[in-house]
């Protein structure tokens, strides 16, 4: 059975460190702690006194001062690994943690998982080919030497970098290694860790290279493991659940994230807020429990993107469309049927085609498999259709040899509506506003990746009101835009209330409008 040696780097909150060590070693595992030498001495003394008698806890062979982005973080890890290898000969796995990580599964689940997966878990993507680095320096992390801490000595850091660049003092990467990059939160098997430590001793040229790279904790172990271990024995992922904001800051978890964390396909999570006392207590009790079944749904990243993309007052701000194209034509009329329930709009659209013979197309900007003619490839993907939206619609007018056409659109695509209304052609919109049952909202959450079959009811109870409000906000945004030739029909209204809006939208008689309004099972889910 797997026996884990946790490698813990920490620099604050001694009470939390003590609790973490006691909790993780209580089920038979062990821990090697490196406590930052720049932290308060009394904190380290407190930790030593509390854990000194615990046979499953050891301390790094040497303590050093650590700084973000520096080699010191890698060196501190190596010191902690040395102690773990020496004091825990039966440890089969070495799991890298920080002081604000906590288990989000039971110890039983964690050990069974490692027993079932005989591999090393470490993100390791090609440094130059992958898009792991989103912003800032990339190749310059490696090809220049970095002697100063970017956060503590920003002026010296960039002065040194710019001087090297000016003088052409770039350097070569060791020829026999392919630099990798990934998360520093890994879990490695004992033979792998031993091989890494042997390479550290035998390849001082590699060590010297990484000592002056920038943020080496994202490249050092990732590169060495990939250099030493066959690819089929590496799972290029982390077992620690963490997410980052658009500003590159780690997302912090609080008391109300308990259900969300348990549903993720990870063993630990980072960062748990120091103020999340209830969350820590619940996760602490969970780790020691037995016989717990977990329903993995993994909607965390999608849910976070959804919530953070909605703005301060809960409204989503869509991407801007920077590319504008030629007009559709002054003489042309584009009619847009707007509805959140796509099946409702499609039913009405089918009836409109039957009654009017006006060319009509379903959700071409939302559904990849919308039935479209071959227009030379511009119709092949939603991305292309959206980028070249006016050209696409103009080509469809030409294809159908018509000056009138109807399309369906989701109310979330308000930027598209604005763009078409700004065209010289005539644009009309008819919004179909529906009622939304709980079952529909659940299905919608599943379709957009916010929930899965295993998502617990407690999580749904929290996100469904937000989803409903978001749908209502999309409709309000359309009404607030005050578009010309805009009308709305609502599921709660009488058939007679539909006639005027449909007549104006399609320029049809009252009889035809009545036939369309009476589309069988129009609002049925």
């Amino acid at each position: 059975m797997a026996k884990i040696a946790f490698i813990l780097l920490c620099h604050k909150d001694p009470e939390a460190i003590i609790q973490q060590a006691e909790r993780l070693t209580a089920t038979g595992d062990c821990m090697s702690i490196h406590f930052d030498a720049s932290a308060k001495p009394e904190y380290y003394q407190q930790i030593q006194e509390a854990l000194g008698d615990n046979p499953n806890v050891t301390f790094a062979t040497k303590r050093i001062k650590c700084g973000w982005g520096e080699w010191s973080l890698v060196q501190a890890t190596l010191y902690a690994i040395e102690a773990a290898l020496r004091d825990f000969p039966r440890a089969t796995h070495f799991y890298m943690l920080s002081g604000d990580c906590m288990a989000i599964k039971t110890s039983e689940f964690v050990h069974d998982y490692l027993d079932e997966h005989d591999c090393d878990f470490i993100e390791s993507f090609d440094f130059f080919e992958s898009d792991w680095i989103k912003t800032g320096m990339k190749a310059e992390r490696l090809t220049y030497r970095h002697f100063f801490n970017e956060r503590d000595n920003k002026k010296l850091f960039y002065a040194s970098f710019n001087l090297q660049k000016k003088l052409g003092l770039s350097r070569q990467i060791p020829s026999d290694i392919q630099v990798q990059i990934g998360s520093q939160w890994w879990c490695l098997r004992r033979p792998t860790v031993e091989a890494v430590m042997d390479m550290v001793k035998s390849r001082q040229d590699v060590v010297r290279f990484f000592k002056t790279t920038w943020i080496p904790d994202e490249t050092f172990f990732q590169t060495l493991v990939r250099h030493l271990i066959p690819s089929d024995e590496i799972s290029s992922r982390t077992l620690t659940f963490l997410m980052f904001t658009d500003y590159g800051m780690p997302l912090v978890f609080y008391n109300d994230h308990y259900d969300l964390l348990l549903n993720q396909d990870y063993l630990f999570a980072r960062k748990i807020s120091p103020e999340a006392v209830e969350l820590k207590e619940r996760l602490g009790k969970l780790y020691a429990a037995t016989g717990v079944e977990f329903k993995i749904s993994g909607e965390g990243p999608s849910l976070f993107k959804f919530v953070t993309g909605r703005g301060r007052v809960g409204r989503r701000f869509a991407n801007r469309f920077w590319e504008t194209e030629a007009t559709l034509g002054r003489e042309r009329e584009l009619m847009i049927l707007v509805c959140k329930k796509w099946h409702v709009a499609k039913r009405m659209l089918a009836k409109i085609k039957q009654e009017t013979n006006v060319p009509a197309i379903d959700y071409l900007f939302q559904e990849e498999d919308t039935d479209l003619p071959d227009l030379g490839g511009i119709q092949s993907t939603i991305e292309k259709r959206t980028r070249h939206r006016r050209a696409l619609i103009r080509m469809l007018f030409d294809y159908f040899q018509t000056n009138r056409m109807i399309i369906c659109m989701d109310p979330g695509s308000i930027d598209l509506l604005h763009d078409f209304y700004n065209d010289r052609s005539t644009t009309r919109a008819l919004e179909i506003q529906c009622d939304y049952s709980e079952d529909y909202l659940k299905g919608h959450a599943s379709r957009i990746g916010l929930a899965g079959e295993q998502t617990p009811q407690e999580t749904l109870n929290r996100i469904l009101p937000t989803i409903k409000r978001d749908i209502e906000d999309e409709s309000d945004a359309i009404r607030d835009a005050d578009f010309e030739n805009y009308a709305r029909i609502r599921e709660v209204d009488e058939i007679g209330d539909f006639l005027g809006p449909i007549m104006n939208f399609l320029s049809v008689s009252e009889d035809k409008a009545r036939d369309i309004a009476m589309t069988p099972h129009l609002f049925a889910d």
Side-chain angles (χ1 to χ4, degrees):
M1 182 177 178
K3 183 179 179 67
I4 306 169
F6 292 103
I7 307 299
L8 180 66
L9 299 192
C10 47
H11 65 282
K12 60 180 181 180
D13 202 353
E15 292 85 1
I17 299 303
I18 294 167
Q19 292 175 6
Q20 186 182 37
E22 291 176 340
R23 181 169 52 247
L24 293 178
T25 59
T27 57
D29 291 316
C30 40
M31 178 177 288
S32 180
I33 300 174
H34 179 278
F35 195 76
D36 197 325
S38 62
K40 294 181 179 180
E42 58 267 31
Y43 285 176
Y44 185 56
Q45 182 179 356
Q46 181 181 350
I47 294 171
Q48 282 188 309
E49 290 176 354
L51 300 174
D53 294 332
N54 188 330
N56 289 332
V57 174
T58 190
F59 295 90
T61 54
K62 185 178 179 181
R63 290 175 63 211
I64 58 172
K65 295 180 179 180
C66 297
W68 182 87
E70 293 181 8
W71 168 257
S72 56
L73 289 174
V74 176
Q75 186 62 67
T77 305
L78 294 174
Y79 286 145
I81 290 174
E82 283 179 350
L85 286 171
R86 179 194 65 205
D87 295 339
F88 307 129
R90 294 184 180 179
T92 61
H93 294 75
F94 293 70
Y95 197 121
M96 183 76 179
L97 290 177
S98 71
D100 47 20
C101 293
M102 285 198 71
I104 56 175
K105 299 292 187 291
T106 61
S107 173
E108 182 180 63
F109 184 99
V110 169
H111 289 84
D112 287 347
Y113 188 93
L114 295 179
D115 285 338
E116 293 169 5
H117 298 82
D118 184 19
C119 61
D120 297 304
F121 293 94
I122 182 168
E123 280 191 350
S124 54
F125 304 102
D126 186 278
F127 185 92
F128 294 100
E129 298 298 327
S130 71
D131 62 348
W132 201 86
I133 299 174
K134 302 297 183 184
T135 59
M137 289 185 184
K138 187 170 182 177
E140 294 86 352
R141 289 193 187 191
L142 308 178
T143 55
Y144 294 96
R145 298 168 179 84
H146 302 279
F147 302 102
F148 303 99
N149 186 291
E150 192 267 347
R151 291 188 175 179
D152 296 339
N153 300 290
K154 190 177 290 288
K155 288 184 179 180
L156 287 175
F157 178 89
Y158 287 104
S160 171
F161 167 68
N162 290 326
L163 180 62
Q164 293 179 68
K165 199 172 181 181
K166 182 178 180 179
L167 298 177
L169 299 177
S170 62
R171 60 176 177 173
Q172 295 295 317
I173 299 170
S175 59
D176 62 337
I177 66 169
Q178 184 176 4
V179 179
Q180 304 287 305
I181 191 167
S183 168
Q184 63 269 52
W185 311 112
W186 40 254
C187 177
L188 304 177
R189 297 168 298 176
R190 187 183 191 94
T192 301
V193 172
E194 291 174 339
V196 167
M197 298 303 285
D198 287 343
M199 186 172 178
V200 169
K201 295 176 183 177
S202 64
R203 291 294 303 272
Q204 284 299 303
D205 60 320
V206 173
V207 174
R208 281 195 299 273
F209 171 78
F210 280 105
K211 278 186 175 181
T212 51
T213 61
W214 190 38
I215 321 181
D217 55 326
E218 293 180 349
T219 54
F220 180 76
F221 290 99
Q222 296 77 359
T223 301
L224 267 61
V225 170
R226 185 66 70 171
H227 181 80
L228 295 165
I229 305 302
S231 295
D232 60 359
E233 295 183 27
I234 299 173
S235 178
S236 189
R237 59 159 297 188
T238 175
L239 295 177
T240 299
F241 180 54
L242 68 162
M243 295 188 293
F244 290 89
T245 69
D246 291 339
Y247 301 99
M249 300 300 293
L251 176 66
V252 178
F253 297 109
Y254 296 95
N255 290 333
D256 58 350
H257 287 131
Y258 180 80
D259 292 326
L260 181 144
L261 291 175
L262 265 60
N263 294 342
Q264 306 314 311
D265 188 19
Y266 297 87
L267 306 183
F268 284 75
R270 182 182 186 271
K271 290 182 151 189
I272 308 298
S273 169
E275 287 77 34
V277 177
E278 179 187 344
L279 177 61
K280 288 184 176 183
E281 290 179 354
R282 296 180 72 183
L283 291 176
K285 292 178 181 177
L286 174 72
Y287 190 69
T290 58
V292 179
E293 293 186 7
F294 295 92
K295 298 178 179 179
I296 307 299
S297 57
E299 77 282 352
S302 299
L303 182 60
F304 174 66
K305 183 178 180 181
F306 170 76
V307 173
T308 57
R310 301 177 71 251
R312 291 192 177 187
V313 294
R315 289 170 174 77
R316 180 180 296 137
F317 292 88
N319 295 329
R320 299 286 196 274
F321 292 108
W322 300 109
E323 181 181 347
T324 57
E325 302 185 54
T327 179
L328 304 182
R330 291 182 181 274
E331 73 284 359
R332 284 172 169 166
E333 185 177 1
L334 178 65
M335 293 166 281
I336 305 174
L337 200 58
V338 180
C339 187
K340 195 67 180 180
K341 289 187 176 182
W342 297 358
H343 57 279
V344 173
K346 289 178 181 180
R347 287 189 193 122
M348 178 171 279
L349 192 68
K351 187 66 172 178
I352 290 173
K353 288 164 66 174
Q354 178 184 333
E355 295 293 334
T356 66
N357 292 319
V358 176
I361 301 172
D362 292 341
Y363 287 84
L364 72 167
F365 294 110
Q366 282 81 38
E367 287 190 302
E368 197 82 57
D369 59 354
T370 299
D371 187 18
L372 291 170
D374 186 353
L375 301 174
I378 193 175
Q379 83 295 338
S380 59
T381 66
I382 290 178
E383 182 183 2
K384 286 185 177 181
R385 297 173 205 168
T386 303
R387 186 188 313 133
H388 306 290
R389 55 204 173 278
R390 291 196 189 183
L392 174 68
I393 296 299
R394 190 169 63 248
M395 293 171 74
L396 287 171
F397 273 120
D398 293 339
Y399 177 84
F400 290 118
Q401 297 182 343
T402 182
N403 285 332
R404 301 184 76 216
M405 186 168 64
I406 309 170
I407 64 173
C408 293
M409 189 177 294
D410 188 277
S413 301
I414 191 168
D415 279 346
L416 281 173
L417 284 170
H418 276 292
D419 191 60
F420 286 128
Y421 265 100
N422 287 331
D423 190 76
R424 296 175 184 174
S425 61
T426 299
T427 300
R428 302 180 186 277
L430 176 65
E431 182 184 2
I432 307 175
Q433 197 171 77
C434 304
D435 294 335
Y436 303 101
S437 66
E438 181 175 319
D439 286 342
Y440 173 81
L441 293 173
K442 287 180 181 178
H444 182 67
S446 177
R447 286 189 293 274
I448 63 178
L450 299 184
E453 293 182 2
Q454 304 299 330
T455 301
Q457 187 62 42
E458 294 86 348
T459 301
L460 290 171
N461 290 341
R462 286 199 298 271
I463 67 174
L464 292 187
T466 303
I467 294 172
K468 184 176 182 181
R469 185 170 62 250
D470 195 62
I471 293 173
E472 293 169 349
D473 287 345
E474 290 174 349
S475 182
D476 288 343
I478 295 174
R479 296 178 67 189
D480 293 342
D482 198 24
F483 293 125
E484 293 185 18
N485 304 316
Y486 162 81
R488 179 178 60 140
I489 60 177
R490 303 183 304 171
E491 182 175 354
V492 296
D493 292 337
E494 301 292 334
I495 292 295
D497 298 323
F498 294 3
L499 302 184
I502 293 175
M503 291 169 63
N504 294 331
F505 177 62
L506 297 171
S507 300
V508 296
S509 66
E510 183 175 338
D511 288 342
K512 281 195 179 296
R514 188 178 300 278
D515 290 338
I516 293 168
M518 297 180 68
T519 300
H521 313 295
L522 178 60
F523 293 101
D525 287 336

